[in-house]
Amino acid sequence: MGNSNSTSQASFILVGFSDWPQLQGFFFVIILVFYSLTVFGNTTIIALARLDVRLHTPMYFFLSNLSFLDLCYTTSTVPQLLINLHGLDRTISYGGCVAQLYIFLALGSTECVLLVVMAFDRYAAVCRPLHYTIIMHPLLCQGLAIASWVGGFINSLIQTSLMMAMPLCGHQLNHFFCEMPVLLKLACEDTGGTEAKMFVARVVIVAVPAILILGSYAQIARAVLKIKSMAGRRKAFGTCGSHLLVVSLFYGSAIYTYLQPKGNYSESEGKFVALFYTIITPMLNPLIYTLRNKDVKGALWKVLGRATDSE
């Protein structure tokens, strides 16, 4: 694939973790277990949010959106990785690579926006408690969720179109899926202008939401410190702690991967960082919300109790 004219007719080879052949069996088992836990945990959150009336609130509406998003997000890469680790096929067609890049970026971009929406929900709950039900009207919640998805897919369309318009030289990707920083390494002409546009798009979808979230939590912290009761402070911090932990895990890895210069990106390190935000973070999200949230734990025990009684 020496020029851009042949790129569209060729395939890419995903190197994956073939550099460590002795560890591929171990990686296969661990990743399969983590993926199974991700599917189970996020499916459970979605089911609980629908089955328990106490969870029919804006917070859990957005949480179920996040869980569905994480299911799609991890599924966009992990099956390909498992096939790669099993040694069945390490190739991916050009069209398949473009589709994977688009879907992965779209879901990641959607999560960036959705986490801002969830931060706004927590801001309204803590800083405007008397007006919370008026502010977070069901129609507004639905509109914010739709805007998150639409915004994420539009951002991905822009970045993917710019990426695939570049002439690429080479067919070997030192990664386990088609990720943008690795594809940028294959650019065989000076594409500084296009890369600058893509970087601006990444800043808009990663850095701007992160700043908005930090601003929301600064206001939340200020409001919580004004609460005289220690019990009230713990409750307020408890409603926000889970979300803030999820934000830290997601944005830490996203900023490392997408907001550093192309020349500083390490493909070997990038693969392990990608494992973190494609597998580990989606697996941990349900655990974080379940272990730190009495409502979710109560709903889980209620559903389990019904299942036991029916038997």
Side-chain angles (χ1 to χ4, degrees):
M1 194 168 57
N3 55 57
S4 59
N5 292 331
S6 61
T7 299
S8 61
Q9 302 173 1
S11 299
F12 293 105
I13 297 174
L14 296 170
V15 174
F17 295 95
S18 59
D19 293 340
W20 299 278
Q22 69 277 11
L23 295 177
Q24 287 195 109
F26 172 76
F27 282 155
F28 180 88
V29 173
I30 293 298
I31 291 170
L32 180 60
V33 170
F34 281 7
Y35 180 58
S36 300
L37 291 174
T38 299
V39 172
F40 174 77
N42 285 287
T43 302
T44 300
I45 293 292
I46 296 170
L48 291 176
R50 292 183 62 87
L51 293 174
D52 197 297
V53 177
R54 292 174 298 176
L55 302 186
H56 292 177
T57 64
M59 176 180 175
Y60 297 106
F61 169 73
F62 294 129
L63 177 56
S64 61
N65 266 268
L66 179 64
S67 292
F68 177 70
L69 182 60
D70 280 341
L71 277 175
C72 299
Y73 186 66
T74 192
T75 301
S76 69
T77 59
V78 172
Q80 175 77 48
L81 172 57
L82 291 174
I83 292 173
N84 187 308
L85 287 171
H86 204 269
L88 298 177
D89 187 8
R90 299 187 189 280
T91 63
I92 183 171
S93 67
Y94 178 82
C97 187
V98 173
Q100 187 179 61
L101 175 66
Y102 174 72
I103 293 171
F104 182 79
L105 285 178
L107 296 172
S109 300
T110 300
E111 185 155 347
C112 287
V113 182
L114 185 60
L115 289 174
V116 177
V117 171
M118 295 176 74
F120 173 72
D121 173 67
R122 292 300 84 209
Y123 164 80
V126 175
C127 300
R128 299 288 186 271
L130 298 179
H131 301 92
Y132 178 70
T133 55
I134 298 174
I135 296 172
M136 300 307 295
H137 189 276
L139 288 178
L140 177 62
C141 293
Q142 293 172 12
L144 290 172
I146 292 171
S148 299
W149 286 89
V150 172
F153 276 77
I154 290 175
N155 180 272
S156 177
L157 180 62
I158 294 170
Q159 294 199 64
T160 304
S161 299
L162 290 170
M163 177 72 250
M164 305 323 296
M166 293 183 180
L168 304 178
C169 295
H171 64 282
Q172 186 166 286
L173 297 176
N174 190 14
H175 212 297
F176 58 86
F177 72 101
C178 293
E179 191 172 35
M180 183 179 294
V182 182
L183 285 167
L184 284 172
K185 293 259 186 185
L186 295 185
C188 51
E189 292 182 8
D190 183 10
T191 55
T194 302
E195 289 183 40
K197 295 176 184 177
M198 294 171 67
F199 184 78
V200 170
R202 295 200 296 275
V203 168
V204 169
I205 205 66
V206 176
V208 173
I211 292 170
L212 292 174
I213 291 172
L214 290 175
S216 297
Y217 275 98
Q219 295 297 319
I220 290 171
R222 183 181 302 175
V224 170
L225 292 175
K226 293 180 180 178
I227 299 175
K228 297 181 180 180
S229 167
M230 288 301 297
R233 288 186 182 184
R234 283 195 297 269
K235 182 178 179 180
F237 276 125
T239 60
C240 303
S242 299
H243 179 249
L244 195 55
L245 183 56
V246 168
V247 166
S248 300
L249 292 172
F250 180 78
Y251 276 100
S253 54
I255 289 172
Y256 170 84
T257 302
Y258 290 98
L259 295 187
Q260 64 172 310
K262 181 179 71 172
N264 294 345
Y265 179 79
S266 168
E267 294 177 338
S268 297
E269 291 179 5
K271 284 187 282 190
F272 287 98
V273 173
L275 280 178
F276 185 81
Y277 59 75
T278 59
I279 300 173
I280 296 176
T281 299
M283 181 195 69
L284 289 177
N285 285 353
L287 292 175
I288 291 170
Y289 280 105
T290 301
L291 294 177
R292 294 177 58 88
N293 193 295
K294 293 181 180 179
D295 292 336
V296 175
K297 287 189 286 187
L300 179 60
W301 287 118
K302 183 178 178 180
V303 171
L304 292 176
R306 286 177 182 173
T308 302
D309 293 340
S310 64
E311 292 177 358

